[in-house]
Amino acid sequence: MAQPTPRLDAEQFTAVAATCRWSKRAIDVTREILVDGASLSETAAKHKMTAKHARVLLTRFQVLAEKHRLQAFMQKEPPKLAPQDLTPFSNELRTLRDKGYKIEQIVAYLKDNGVTSSATSVRKFIRSIRA
């Protein structure tokens, strides 16, 4: 049994289609499959193309749709914590770690110096400069 095709509503489809430079035929094929729910093989035959070609169009459009969803989310929701460069503090972080300070204490030191960072970020940074 074939897997059901993931569907998009007409508004989402139109927004994604506006960003790509495809032929009207290619857009029509993907619209019929994704929005209207038509079968892939019937739609391909209707537009005089192979099912394989229709599948390629469908797959490429789904990739574009996923990128569009990600971009829309990133525009709507800014990151809560922008990554900060810890490189200027590399000597201090190495010294604190070598002297036995815990990661949480190092995070507190950074906070006192105006740098907001997570324990995981500090841990990864210290590992990267250890070499």
Side-chain angles (χ1 to χ4, degrees), residues 99-114:
K99 297 287 183 185
Y101 285 85
K102 293 187 173 205
I103 294 296
E104 291 76 18
Q105 292 173 301
I106 296 172
V107 170
Y109 168 79
L110 289 170
K111 186 176 180 183
D112 289 346
N113 285 285

Side-chain angles (χ1 to χ4, degrees), residues 77-98:
E77 185 76 30
K80 301 255 187 256
L81 180 63
Q84 294 201 353
D85 185 20
L86 300 177
T87 306
F89 296 94
S90 60
N91 290 335
E92 292 94 333
L93 297 180
R94 188 179 294 132
T95 301
L96 289 170
R97 189 64 178 159
D98 290 346

Side-chain angles (χ1 to χ4, degrees), residues 59-71:
T59 302
R60 288 181 181 168
F61 193 86
Q62 288 171 328
V63 168
L64 290 173
E66 189 57 39
K67 286 180 183 177
H68 185 267
R69 275 189 221 112
L70 179 62
Q71 289 297 325

Side-chain angles (χ1 to χ4, degrees), residues 31-83:
R31 177 183 296 280
E32 287 181 29
I33 296 169
L34 289 174
V35 177
D36 302 337
S39 88
L40 188 130
S41 57
E42 290 172 5
T43 304
K46 176 181 171 185
H47 290 276
K48 297 180 181 155
M49 68 173 58
T50 64
K52 183 177 181 180
H53 186 193
R55 170 65 63 197
V56 167
L57 291 173
L58 184 64
T59 302
R60 288 181 181 168
F61 193 86
Q62 288 171 328
V63 168
L64 290 173
E66 189 57 39
K67 286 180 183 177
H68 185 267
R69 275 189 221 112
L70 179 62
Q71 289 297 325
F73 174 78
M74 289 172 29
Q75 287 177 351
K76 179 181 76 172
E77 185 76 30
K80 301 255 187 256
L81 180 63

